[in-house]
Amino acid sequence: AQKVTQAQTEISVVEKEDVTLDCVYETRDTTYYLFWYKQPPSGELVFLIRRNSFDEQNEISGRYSWNFQKSTSSFNFTITASQVVDSAVYFCALSEADAGNNRKLIWGLGTSLAVNP
Amino acid sequence: DAGITQSPRHKVTETGTPVTLRCHQTENHRYMYWYRQDPGHGLRLIHYSYGVKDTDKGEVSDGYSVSRSKTEDFLLTLESATSSQTSVYFCAISESLAGGGGTQYFGPGTRLTVL
């Protein structure tokens, strides 16, 4: 069973629209971390944010914001006033503190965002 | 940006030949990782290293070996390349393990084509 689900495979918006990328995760651990990465068309993977399971405060960084809700096991990412440069594939990932799993990130399959002028 | 380089950036090779990809970091991070990225599969961990000469297998390690003789270098070898190993390979580094909240920073990737 997939532990990180990004249900939106592709999203297309027009510039200046707000867009939310969904991430739902499954874990039995009480201590875990959630990440978002961006992969622009050039191909590199860029770290955006890390959130630990004990910090449910929402995070805002410029036009980017993240909504972490443990009650729904979601860690959603919103881009406000989207721009063409936001076009990329966005990945959500989970790491668990359990001794057997603590070496790796569990990745979602990504959401491809196209922002059209 | 984390100082991570990968070489080569692109490679075309033939089935059956050995191939070595290199990852070099200037951050002195303890942990290094090799992933492959394929459509429909996302990122999958091949091998990782938790120190010089200390390595372990990931989820898709068959057909791959690794070596780490220096903190800054992590080599991935395809012992006898097959077409199924055509992929984009990413190296990553972190100061601590993922389960400890370690953020992984990625290199630019190597696009490998096996004919």
Side-chain angles (χ1 to χ4, degrees), chain B:
Chain B
D1 290 343
I4 314 168
T5 57
Q6 293 184 231
S7 58
R9 295 292 314 280
H10 302 270
K11 186 169 182 68
V12 179
T13 191
E14 294 189 352
T15 297
T17 61
V19 176
T20 295
L21 309 182
R22 180 182 183 236
C23 177
H24 179 78
Q25 61 146 328
T26 58
E27 305 297 320
N28 202 35
H29 282 6
R30 177 179 176 184
Y31 299 95
M32 299 185 75
Y33 312 80
W34 277 107
Y35 287 90
R36 59 178 290 174
Q37 184 179 33
D38 305 287
H41 292 278
L43 280 144
R44 293 181 290 175
L45 183 65
I46 304 171
H47 281 280
Y48 75 106
S49 169
Y50 44 94
V52 173
K53 298 187 180 179
D54 290 325
T55 65
D56 205 350
K57 296 179 179 180
E59 58 191 298
V60 290
S61 59
D62 287 349
Y64 302 95
S65 63
V66 290
S67 66
R68 191 168 178 202
S69 59
K70 297 185 290 185
T71 299
E72 57 266 35
D73 290 325
F74 193 32
L75 303 181
L76 176 71
T77 297
L78 288 65
E79 293 138 11
S80 177
T82 68
S83 58
S84 65
Q85 293 175 311
T86 293
S87 187
V88 179
Y89 291 86
F90 286 98
C91 173
I93 66 173
S94 67
E95 287 188 284
S96 58
L97 283 172
T103 297
Q104 293 183 16
Y105 297 95
F106 285 81
T110 294
R111 184 172 295 275
L112 176 67
T113 302
V114 183
L115 302 175

Side-chain angles (χ1 to χ4, degrees), chain A residues 1-8 22-26 36 73 76 92 107-111:
Chain A
Q2 201 168 342
K3 285 198 167 185
V4 178
T5 302
Q6 297 181 254
Q8 306 144 308
D22 297 334
C23 174
V24 174
Y25 62 92
E26 298 175 41
W36 276 94
S73 297
N76 296 337
C92 181
W107 294 84
L109 295 182
T111 296

Side-chain angles (χ1 to χ4, degrees), chain A residues 37 39 43 50 95-96 102-103, chain B residues 37 48 90 97-99 101 104:
Chain A
Y37 285 83
Q39 187 172 39
R50 179 189 72 185
S95 71
E96 297 167 307
N102 65 0
R103 68 181 185 278
Chain B
Q37 184 179 33
Y48 75 106
F90 286 98
L97 283 172
Q104 293 183 16

Side-chain angles (χ1 to χ4, degrees), chain A residues 32-51:
Chain A
Y32 54 90
Y33 299 83
L34 295 160
F35 302 80
W36 276 94
Y37 285 83
K38 174 182 179 179
Q39 187 172 39
S42 51
E44 70 271 27
L45 280 155
V46 179
F47 165 71
L48 295 178
I49 191 172
R50 179 189 72 185
R51 172 68 69 217

